[in-house]
Amino acid sequence: MVVASLKFALVFGVSVFAASCGSDGETSEPDMDIPDSSRPTPQPQRWSTSVVEGGNMGLHPRVALSANGVVAGAWVSTQGREAGPCTELGEDAPERVTYQIRYGEFDGTSWTIEDAAELAFVGQPPGIDFAFNGNEPLIAAMAGEPSVMFRYCGVNDAAVYERSGPGNWTSNTAVAESGEAVTGDAASDFGTVVGYWPALAISSTGAIGLAHKDVHGGGLQSDDFRRADLEFALNQGGSWQPSAVDFGRGGGNFSDAVFDAQDRPVVVHYIPSEDNTGTLTGVWAHRLEGDEWVRVQLHNQPTSDGPSVALDPQTGTLWVAFYNAQRGFPVVAKLENSEGFTDTSEWEFEEIGDNRYDEGYGSSLAVSRTGIVGLAYYRCTRATQGLGECTAAEDELVFAYWDGFAWEQEVIDTDESGQCGSSPSLVFDAQDRPLIAYRCEVLVDGVLDTQVHFATRNSAP
């Protein structure tokens, strides 16, 4: 799908930025061209799809590549299992509900799958992440025992699960209490429920970064979510070092993280809250410079799902993608000048979707080792049906890549028995071939079964 870049649009007088950024990088919404739909979307002759695991699996699928080329992934069951009352909380204890976290390795033909953990959650699990540190698989998820003080019957620590052998996983707690990432603000430093929406990043030296959301009392207090904190914990081979990235503003939803070309951690996230200035809600990016986290706002409207961030290992260019819920397109933001991180005018924005569709949900960015930039996302429905009205007959999994001149689109999975293609996770293998794990609902014996699916392209773009 050919789409003109915003730099091209600027030459012809299109206004890209409605207002200049403030001292902390806040900005109003960029004015972007509507994507071109003059060319038909290619069909999936180059792609093969398969089922990884069914039986109500497929919440938060994630896939990654090890240093020696192993492809593996992690995901969560979509339905919880009642495991008896939470007796730690005393009388009238609530029911403990557990979810499976699964790990699988792909040998090029089939998957070998095992349990990584079974954890009790209050409500649906709020995200996991998966990455390799060299050849060591890591799963970011919550850990810990129920909190008696808050009557919280679920895991409430931020942790990384490490694998010492097949089926043998142990949790390494990064942060257990809200006050460990000291802010000096009494409300932000109070609480015990941390670890929502975890995001892993691995530096060039093997340091592990873990971004997560601190929700204090987990909902016990009326402002636990409205005043939630985005936090980051760094492990450089010893103990974890927590820090507050953005506190008291309700951030940390759908976090993603990466280390930039200078090994500075970068975290992107979504803030659903609003303040009296009307400029808080949206997609934000933060970077650690010395001992200070600086920030820039990349989107100032509500959205669904979350942003994705990736680094070009060849050029050091930083890429961010997110869904524009007001217009129904995926947006890609590119920063080539790393010193202009907090200056919105240094970022180049481009909407890359097809204006016939509402698409861009769950955008997942990846850059191959040779610099191929790809984006996987969920196409919800035709735009004529209305934004957010996803239908099994119209939805699809889409892969887009930058060919050096324009973004090209390929439709991968068009299954019509249930909604299929959501929550994609994209990685490139050692041969620059894109691989995508995603969620799909399939009719099995008259009942919709939620499954993890896997798509492989037979060659590099």
Side-chain angles (χ1 to χ4, degrees):
M1 182 61 57
V2 179
V3 182
S5 73
L6 289 183
K7 288 184 178 178
F8 180 86
L10 277 170
V11 174
F12 286 86
V14 176
S15 174
V16 177
F17 300 104
S20 61
C21 64
S23 60
D24 66 352
E26 296 180 11
T27 182
S28 57
E29 181 70 6
D31 179 17
M32 291 171 283
D33 286 344
I34 295 176
D36 175 28
S37 59
S38 59
R39 290 172 55 188
T41 300
Q43 294 304 304
Q45 296 92 344
R46 300 185 182 96
W47 289 86
S48 300
T49 62
S50 59
V51 178
V52 178
E53 185 177 31
N56 296 312
M57 291 290 171
L59 195 61
H60 312 306
R62 297 290 186 268
V63 66
L65 183 73
S66 75
N68 63 11
V70 172
V71 176
W75 54 91
V76 186
S77 56
T78 59
Q79 295 183 6
R81 180 182 69 86
E82 292 189 352
C86 207
T87 55
E88 299 93 328
L89 305 187
E91 296 181 0
D92 300 321
E95 187 76 15
R96 188 191 313 265
V97 179
T98 63
Y99 290 78
Q100 290 176 279
I101 297 180
R102 302 279 275 170
Y103 168 79
E105 290 186 0
F106 184 59
D107 64 6
T109 303
S110 60
W111 289 80
T112 301
I113 300 170
E114 64 189 42
D115 278 328
E118 184 167 352
L119 306 175
F121 287 93
V122 176
Q124 196 173 67
I128 65 163
D129 202 10
F130 174 72
F132 278 100
N133 190 357
N135 294 312
E136 179 187 6
L138 303 173
I139 298 174
M142 297 175 73
E145 298 301 320
S147 170
V148 176
M149 176 180 177
F150 292 96
R151 290 190 61 79
Y152 192 87
C153 184
V155 287
N156 50 75
D157 300 339
V160 173
Y161 288 77
E162 302 165 343
R163 186 175 187 257
S164 58
N168 191 0
W169 292 80
T170 55
S171 63
N172 180 350
T173 298
V175 181
E177 301 293 333
S178 299
E180 292 179 37
V182 179
T183 68
D185 180 281
S188 288
D189 291 343
F190 175 77
T192 192
V193 184
V194 299
Y196 275 45
W197 300 111
L200 281 168
I202 309 298
S203 77
S204 64
T205 61
I208 304 171
L210 176 64
H212 65 98
K213 181 170 184 169
D214 176 355
V215 294
H216 309 301
L220 176 69
Q221 305 168 114
S222 61
D223 63 351
D224 277 336
F225 290 91
R226 181 175 56 82
R227 287 188 46 83
D229 308 332
L230 171 66
E231 299 177 356
F232 186 83
L234 179 65
N235 190 319
Q236 297 176 295
S239 60
W240 290 93
Q241 303 163 6
S243 64
V245 180
D246 191 352
F247 66 89
R249 304 202 311 159
N253 281 22
F254 315 121
S255 298
D256 198 13
V258 71
F259 283 88
D260 72 5
Q262 299 180 43
D263 264 349
R264 295 173 294 191
V266 175
V267 181
V268 296
H269 67 119
Y270 171 59
I271 297 180
S273 306
E274 193 51 272
D275 61 6
N276 55 14
T277 68
T279 60
L280 184 59
T281 297
V283 174
W284 292 79
H286 302 254
R287 186 173 71 191
L288 183 61
E289 298 184 357
D291 59 358
E292 178 187 4
W293 286 93
V294 299
R295 69 191 183 202
V296 61
Q297 187 175 25
L298 301 179
H299 184 63
N300 66 357
Q301 299 291 329
T303 186
S304 60
D305 298 321
S308 178
V309 63
L311 179 74
D312 186 331
Q314 300 294 315
T315 66
T317 297
L318 194 66
W319 296 82
V320 177
F322 55 89
Y323 170 66
N324 185 329
Q326 289 68 48
R327 303 179 68 176
F329 302 134
V331 177
V332 172
K334 178 174 68 172
L335 179 68
E336 294 179 323
N337 173 21
S338 65
E339 298 312 305
F341 182 86
T342 60
D343 183 353
T344 317
S345 66
E346 291 285 345
W347 292 78
E348 180 182 341
F349 295 82
E350 190 169 4
E351 288 182 332
I352 68 170
D354 185 328
N355 60 14
R356 296 171 298 177
Y357 299 96
D358 174 20
E359 61 183 19
Y361 295 82
S363 294
S364 177
L365 263 175
V367 183
S368 77
R369 295 175 179 178
T370 62
I372 299 173
V373 183
L375 180 69
Y377 56 86
Y378 176 58
R379 173 176 288 172
C380 169
T381 189
R382 288 190 173 271
T384 53
Q385 300 296 319
L387 300 183
E389 300 297 327
C390 303
T391 63
E394 300 285 353
D395 70 349
E396 297 167 326
L397 174 65
V398 180
F399 170 71
Y401 65 94
W402 177 250
D403 68 2
F405 302 96
W407 287 92
E408 299 289 342
Q409 285 183 327
E410 297 175 354
V411 172
I412 300 169
D413 198 323
T414 60
D415 184 275
E416 296 186 3
S417 65
Q419 293 188 3
C420 190
S422 62
S423 303
S425 177
L426 170 67
V427 70
F428 286 91
D429 70 9
Q431 287 76 47
D432 283 349
R433 295 173 299 195
L435 315 172
I436 306 171
Y438 58 101
R439 177 176 169 174
C440 199
E441 294 177 350
V442 177
L443 201 61
V444 178
D445 297 329
V447 178
L448 281 177
D449 180 36
T450 307
Q451 303 176 345
V452 181
H453 283 205
F454 188 61
T456 59
R457 198 177 192 272
N458 57 25
S459 62

